Amino acid sequence: MSHSTPPAAGNLRAVAQRSEHSGSPPGARGLRLGNAPTVSIVVASVSARKELEACVEMLLPACSASSIELVVVRSTSPEEFRDLQNRYRAALFMPAPDGSSVRVLRNFGIAAAEGDIVAFMDDSRPPDTEWLRHIVALTAPASTS
């Protein structure tokens, strides 16, 4: 699989474009609007596209409801990358070099994630949405009465 631009350059450009859109510099965590830490989930995608899509479709509703950032890192063609970005606009997709290990995919995801807490998952099995509920509960600010 060949990429029209080097994958690392594509990753940096995607982060910079998102940062320009959000008004914060690349790598910045942005302004905090509350006391709770923000959460990002990084999906290291090494499975077939069908498994990735099932994973993303299960995660997106829970992530959206809890303001959790979803970052998906995958070795893919430019065409598949654009298709995934267009299909799942609420997730941030990052291209990675062909044959990248899960460790490399996670490192790209960490570089792009804007959450205070970064959680990892693979796309090889359906996500446990109860796991997300626990993260949200643990990161919610303590009530002060």
Side-chain angles (χ1 to χ4, degrees):
M1 225 179 286
S2 66
H3 298 277
S4 56
T5 60
N11 284 342
L12 294 175
R13 186 170 40 256
V15 172
Q17 287 170 346
R18 183 181 61 179
S19 296
E20 286 171 12
H21 177 71
S22 69
S24 59
R29 300 301 188 225
L31 296 175
R32 185 173 296 226
L33 299 177
N35 293 330
T38 56
V39 179
S40 297
I41 295 176
V42 172
V43 176
S45 177
V46 294
S47 297
R49 182 167 171 172
K50 179 176 80 170
E51 282 86 13
L52 169 62
E53 289 184 345
C55 177
V56 169
E57 287 172 9
M58 288 184 73
L59 284 171
L60 275 178
C63 288
S64 294
S66 302
S67 298
I68 295 173
E69 176 187 43
L70 181 59
V71 179
V72 180
V73 187
R74 179 176 177 85
S75 296
T76 186
S77 69
E79 295 78 24
E80 183 183 53
F81 175 74
R82 281 190 299 276
D83 186 48
L84 288 167
Q85 280 185 312
N86 289 330
R87 186 167 183 177
Y88 302 105
R89 293 189 178 271
L92 173 65
F93 284 86
M94 302 295 297
D98 292 332
S100 293
S101 67
V102 170
R103 187 183 92 218
V104 169
L105 296 174
R106 287 178 178 167
N107 285 336
F108 276 118
I110 289 169
E114 292 187 349
D116 298 312
I117 297 169
V118 178
F120 300 111
M121 67 177 316
D122 301 329
D123 63 351
S124 58
R125 55 189 160 161
D128 177 4
T129 53
E130 193 63 29
W131 172 71
L132 285 176
R133 283 191 264 283
H134 289 295
I135 290 175
V136 170
L138 290 171
T139 60
S143 62
T144 55
S145 316

